[in-house]
Amino acid sequence: MSCIVAFHGSGQTETSLDPFVDAIAPGSTRFLPRGGLVEKDGFTFFRRDDDLRIDPESLLEQARLWLVKRHLSEIMLVGYSSGAIFSEALLSLEPDRFSGAILLRPEPIATDFRFKDMGCKPILILSGQRDERRTVEAAITLKSQLANANAKVTLHNLNAGHGWANNGEDICRSRQWLLDTGILV
């Protein structure tokens, strides 16, 4: 299995996704980076505009800087919320360095964003039907953008808000997807 790199959401820390990764891939090799920017009581990987819009150029620059400092390959990305958006940026810059991605409660970098060819890279998107920060349409747009770049995208719209589904469906769907794609053996 690839090394899992898990990017936390805004205002969280590097350990925020460790229980999730442990549940979907027990004993896996993992790297849990901390966002380099302080936000609330935690950290984030990029800043949004004051109106909460994403500045694609700024986001992509932060992702470029992150990639330059790390020489990892065959990485399985896991990103939650803004960490999912940061994962999208990494995928858009150097898709060949990644074996796949699990994007939890993501949104597109921009409505007209175009990814480089993904070469059938498997990507799982888990959105929430009652997400107070993201729309279901945002997940559908992202799925379309990734599919247009030849990614093999699976989208599940869970009975959840922005946080975890109460019934453990995030874990169940992610673990099953890892098994189905052959990433987890």
Side-chain angles (χ1 to χ4, degrees):
M1 172 192 245
S2 307
C3 173
I4 294 177
V5 180
F7 295 98
H8 61 78
S10 297
Q12 296 180 343
T13 68
E14 64 273 22
T15 60
S16 298
L17 287 177
D18 196 35
F20 176 77
V21 172
D22 195 49
I24 65 168
S28 61
T29 302
R30 64 194 74 171
F31 175 44
L32 306 167
R34 180 192 314 175
L37 304 168
V38 175
E39 174 146 332
K40 300 178 187 167
D41 293 332
F43 301 89
T44 190
F45 293 94
F46 68 95
R47 293 266 184 243
R48 291 177 178 265
D49 293 336
D50 289 340
D51 62 1
L52 300 180
R53 283 184 302 138
I54 297 168
D55 175 0
E57 289 180 27
S58 175
L59 169 60
L60 293 171
E61 183 57 29
Q62 289 298 318
R64 272 188 207 90
L65 292 171
W66 195 90
L67 286 169
V68 164
K69 295 177 184 175
R70 284 142 190 105
H71 301 287
L72 303 169
S73 61
E74 283 305 301
I75 299 167
M76 175 66 200
L77 296 170
V78 172
Y80 172 77
S81 190
S82 65
I85 299 164
F86 193 71
S87 297
E88 293 169 38
L90 295 171
L91 278 167
S92 77
L93 294 170
E94 295 189 34
D96 293 340
R97 285 179 69 174
F98 307 103
S99 58
I102 297 174
L103 306 174
L104 305 149
R105 313 310 185 265
E107 71 176 288
I109 293 171
T111 56
D112 59 349
F113 193 79
R114 293 185 181 269
F115 288 88
K116 292 180 182 177
D117 187 85
M118 294 283 157
C120 294
K121 195 161 305 302
I123 298 176
L124 174 64
I125 299 172
L126 297 178
S127 62
Q129 293 171 1
R130 300 179 322 280
D131 192 328
E132 60 279 4
R133 297 184 194 175
R134 312 277 190 264
T135 64
V136 173
E137 291 77 20
I140 293 168
T141 298
L142 178 59
K143 178 185 179 184
S144 177
Q145 290 172 347
L146 289 163
N148 287 340
N150 298 314
K152 185 178 177 184
V153 187
T154 303
L155 168 64
H156 293 287
N157 190 22
L158 309 182
N159 182 16
H162 195 68
W164 301 112
N166 290 332
N167 60 2
E169 194 173 5
D170 291 285
I171 291 168
C172 293
R173 294 275 187 179
S174 297
R175 185 160 176 76
Q176 188 61 54
W177 178 84
L178 287 170
L179 291 167
D180 292 347
T181 59
I183 293 172
L184 179 63
V185 273

